Amino acid sequence: MKVSFILAYFALAPSTPAESRSYIGELIETVNHEGYKRSHFSHPFLSACREGTIDAGAFDTWLVQDLHFGEYYIKKFTPELAKIAKEGSEEQEVLKLANDHEIAWFHEKIAERGLNVAEPLPANKRYMDWLDSILTDYVQRGNFAVGISVFYGVEKVYQKAWNQVLHSKDCPEWLTEFAENWGSEGFGKFVDVIESFADKALETASEEDKEVVAGALKEIFALENEFWSMAHAEGIGTDENGSGHGHNELDPAAHHHGMCQNCVAGEQQLGAKQAAPSVALMKS
C-alpha cells in the first residue's frame, strides 16, 4: 500500500520462516513464472531508486499519486474489510489500527518538497476502481478470504519493493527516509501478520475463491506496474540531493503540482508500452 503501518504492536511479531511459507505465500511466488513478479521488481522506476538515478520529478509525481491511493486505502478499503472480520478477532483489531497517521506523514513530506496535490492520474484511478470492484463483489458480500488476500497482496509487493530499495548500497540519502518508512522490518512483520490472516481464511475457502485470489494477485502485479510506469520517465537523471531542478525537460509549474510533463506523457501512452495484462476475476 501502500499503507505502512509502522506500529509498536508489531515490534515483537515473529517473521514467517521461509521453510514454513504459507499457502498464499506460495501462491504469490507462483506468479513469477508468468513474468508478473519479475517485471514488477525489475521495473525501471524501482531500478532507478535502487541505483540512485531516480529523477526527483518522477518520484514527486509518484509520491502525490501514492497519497491519493493511501487515502482511499485507509479511509475506504480497510474499514470495509474490518467490518466483515469476526467481531473481536485479532484480524479485526489489526485492521482497525489503520488511521490517519500515515496520511499526515504523506502531507508533511509533500509540503517539504514544495508540491501541490494533483488529481489522481488514470493508472491510479484504475487501481482504485479495481479495489472498489473487490469491495462490491466480495467484501461487501462478506467474503473475508478474498478481501484479506487482496489486502495482503497489495501490502506484500509494496513492502518488498521498497525493502529492496532500502538495502541497496546505491540508494541515495534523500530517498532513504521514504524507503525506511515503506521497506522496514517493522512493516515486514505487519505483512507477515496479514499473511497469516489470509492463509487462515483460505483454509476453508472454496476452490472458486482460491482461483479468484490467484487471479487477484496477478492483477495486483499488473496494476502496480502501471502505477510505477505512471511516474517513470526513462533517461532522466537527478542531482545528489534529490532535486528535480536538474530535469532539463521538466516544466517547473507542472513539477510543483507533482506532475512531470514526461511522466504524464508516459502515463498517457501506458496502454501501448508498459501495461501488464489485465486478469478478469470470477464473480462470486
Side-chain angles (χ1 to χ4, degrees):
M1 140 194 108
K2 309 254 158 66
V3 181
S4 47
F5 295 80
I6 310 301
L7 298 167
Y9 183 91
F10 301 106
L12 301 178
S15 298
T16 303
E19 61 270 22
S20 60
R21 182 178 290 151
S22 67
Y23 170 81
I24 194 169
E26 291 285 359
L27 192 59
I28 204 168
E29 291 298 321
T30 63
V31 302
N32 189 33
H33 79 277
E34 297 180 33
Y36 288 89
K37 176 184 168 187
R38 184 171 58 253
S39 65
H40 174 72
F41 293 115
S42 63
H43 191 282
F45 182 92
L46 290 174
S47 295
C49 288
R50 292 192 298 267
E51 295 163 4
T53 59
I54 185 66
D55 172 67
F59 180 80
D60 288 344
T61 297
W62 176 85
L63 185 66
V64 168
Q65 293 302 310
D66 207 38
L67 166 64
H68 286 300
F69 189 97
E71 288 182 325
Y72 165 86
Y73 206 69
I74 286 178
K75 296 178 179 180
K76 186 173 182 180
F77 191 87
T78 307
E80 288 290 321
L81 186 57
K83 285 180 186 177
I84 66 168
K86 184 177 179 181
E87 191 66 32
S89 65
E90 184 181 5
E91 287 88 337
Q92 188 176 67
E93 180 183 355
V94 169
L95 289 168
K96 283 184 175 180
L97 287 172
N99 54 48
D100 291 334
H101 174 75
E102 177 78 358
I103 300 304
W105 183 86
F106 263 104
H107 280 289
E108 177 185 338
K109 297 306 164 187
I110 285 171
E112 287 177 1
R113 295 178 72 82
L115 305 174
N116 292 324
V117 179
E119 292 299 313
L121 291 171
N124 198 356
K125 291 178 182 177
R126 281 192 292 274
Y127 205 161
M128 292 187 285
D129 286 347
W130 179 76
L131 286 172
D132 262 344
S133 75
I134 295 295
L135 286 181
T136 301
D137 297 333
Y138 299 101
V139 175
Q140 291 173 353
R141 296 182 183 183
N143 194 323
F144 186 72
V146 170
I148 193 67
S149 297
V150 167
F151 189 93
Y152 163 72
V154 172
E155 299 287 0
K156 178 67 175 180
V157 298
Y158 192 72
Q159 190 274 336
K160 186 169 183 178
W162 285 108
N163 183 261
Q164 291 179 353
V165 174
L166 178 62
H167 289 95
S168 170
K169 63 181 179 62
D170 296 318
C171 177
E173 184 177 352
W174 68 268
L175 188 57
T176 301
E177 178 184 12
F178 297 96
E180 285 178 342
N181 190 58
W182 303 314
S184 70
E185 182 181 354
F187 186 23
K189 289 178 179 179
F190 164 75
V191 175
D192 288 343
V193 171
I194 297 302
E195 179 176 344
S196 71
F197 293 164
D199 211 49
K200 178 182 176 182
L202 288 170
E203 286 178 359
T204 55
S206 67
E207 290 303 313
E208 182 181 13
D209 281 348
K210 290 178 181 179
E211 289 181 28
V212 168
V213 169
L217 294 176
K218 296 174 184 178
E219 188 75 357
I220 288 167
F221 277 114
L223 289 164
E224 287 283 344
N225 278 344
E226 286 196 17
F227 206 97
W228 302 123
S229 296
M230 169 180 62
H232 180 71
E234 290 188 33
I236 299 172
T238 185
D239 66 29
E240 62 183 6
N241 298 315
S243 169
H245 296 160
H247 187 328
N248 293 332
E249 297 178 65
L250 184 68
D251 180 299
H255 181 203
H256 288 289
H257 282 79
M259 296 179 69
C260 152
Q261 295 301 303
N262 284 322
C263 300
V264 174
E267 156 67 4
Q268 293 169 344
Q269 298 172 12
L270 188 60
K273 291 186 176 180
Q274 297 279 5
S278 179
V279 178
L281 297 183
M282 292 164 31
K283 301 276 194 303
S284 60

